[in-house]
Amino acid sequence: MAGMVAAVPMGLLVLVAAGTWQHTGFLTPAYRIVAMLDPTPMRVSLEEAASGSPFYADQQPLVAGVGAHLAVGAFFGMVFALLARALRPRGPAALADGVGYGLAVMAFMALVGLPLVAGVLGGGEVISNLPAGVGWPAFAAGHVVYGLVLGGWVLLRPDDLG
């Protein structure tokens, strides 16, 4: 559960970055996630943003992209919970551990996870280059936020670790 909760502010940060200073469209990151299934919504969102309309919405791929993002967040949140259960971080160390974990997930996804998914599912460069597509600063900041929320969960709810 904590992983999905942590994935929400992470995703919101990336969406805001895309819609504001990156000028690629608020919902384009969600369409990037599912572009391997149908690249049209991502392409249209980018075109709309380029013409000054940053709010192109296509419900089905949007829901699929958000669902995939939450599922990946849940998986990595589960891994964090297992690690936190074994290591038992206390106090501010839980936040630091969360941030470190978020950055480790970022590195794993950029170097292994996304290229593997792109190769297996045929997503090509849209998936394997997703960090560059959403922008490395937003990608990194999103993972820091993800880790902070996971660490905060352990800090505020240590009994959840069992």
Side-chain angles (χ1 to χ4, degrees):
M1 172 93 161
M4 285 195 302
V5 169
V8 170
M10 172 194 191
L12 289 173
L13 184 144
V14 172
L15 293 177
V16 168
T20 56
W21 73 81
Q22 293 175 342
H23 306 288
T24 59
F26 275 97
L27 303 176
T28 303
Y31 303 137
R32 283 185 192 282
I33 294 170
V34 293
M36 66 189 130
L37 303 174
D38 182 6
T40 305
M42 182 191 75
R43 187 173 19 84
V44 172
S45 186
L46 289 167
E47 290 169 359
E48 289 288 319
S51 69
S53 178
F55 292 104
Y56 170 76
D58 188 342
Q59 184 178 1
Q60 187 173 357
L62 176 62
V63 170
V66 169
H69 174 71
L70 293 176
V72 171
F75 171 77
F76 282 108
M78 193 171 47
V79 172
F80 179 77
L82 293 172
L83 290 170
R85 179 179 279 178
L87 299 174
R88 300 281 184 198
R90 299 282 183 232
L95 295 175
D97 288 350
V99 170
Y101 179 76
L103 292 172
V105 168
M106 178 190 75
F108 172 80
M109 290 302 288
L111 298 173
V112 178
L114 292 170
L116 181 65
V117 168
V120 171
L121 298 178
E125 287 191 21
V126 170
I127 300 301
S128 63
N129 290 333
L130 191 130
V134 300
W136 275 103
F139 192 70
H143 282 85
V144 167
V145 167
Y146 177 75
L148 272 174
V149 174
L150 288 176
W153 190 291
V154 170
L155 179 67
L156 298 173
R157 300 182 54 95
D159 292 341
D160 285 357
L161 296 176

